[in-house]
Amino acid sequence: MKPIHIILAVISGAIAGATVGLLFAPAKGTDTREEIIKFLKEKGIKLKRSKMEELADEIADELQAKA
């Protein structure tokens, strides 16, 4: 198999995975971020609201990237 075919297969798989993830996502991004904030607070992580939202955004972005 030529390297270009491997690269195209990886890119196609990533696009397909992202599309399926967006179509079948269990909740909106804002809802997911709120759940992350709630979870962090339950675990005793105390940050200012802006820092908590920033951390939740980073976690949500990582989760979406892996989907």
Side-chain angles (χ1 to χ4, degrees):
M1 194 173 225
K2 293 182 181 181
I4 190 72
H5 292 136
I6 294 171
I7 293 170
L8 289 174
V10 169
I11 291 172
S12 298
I15 291 171
T19 302
V20 170
L22 289 173
L23 291 174
F24 293 104
K28 294 189 313 183
T30 54
D31 295 338
T32 301
R33 285 171 177 79
E34 288 298 319
E35 287 295 318
I36 292 169
I37 290 171
K38 180 180 168 186
F39 176 79
L40 293 173
K41 285 182 179 179
E42 288 174 358
K43 295 299 177 186
I45 298 173
K46 300 194 188 296
L47 297 170
K48 290 182 182 178
R49 181 74 180 170
S50 62
K51 291 292 184 183
M52 186 73 77
E53 288 175 357
E54 187 178 315
L55 179 59
D57 287 344
E58 288 179 27
I59 293 170
D61 290 343
E62 281 293 319
L63 290 174
Q64 287 179 344
K66 301 219 188 260

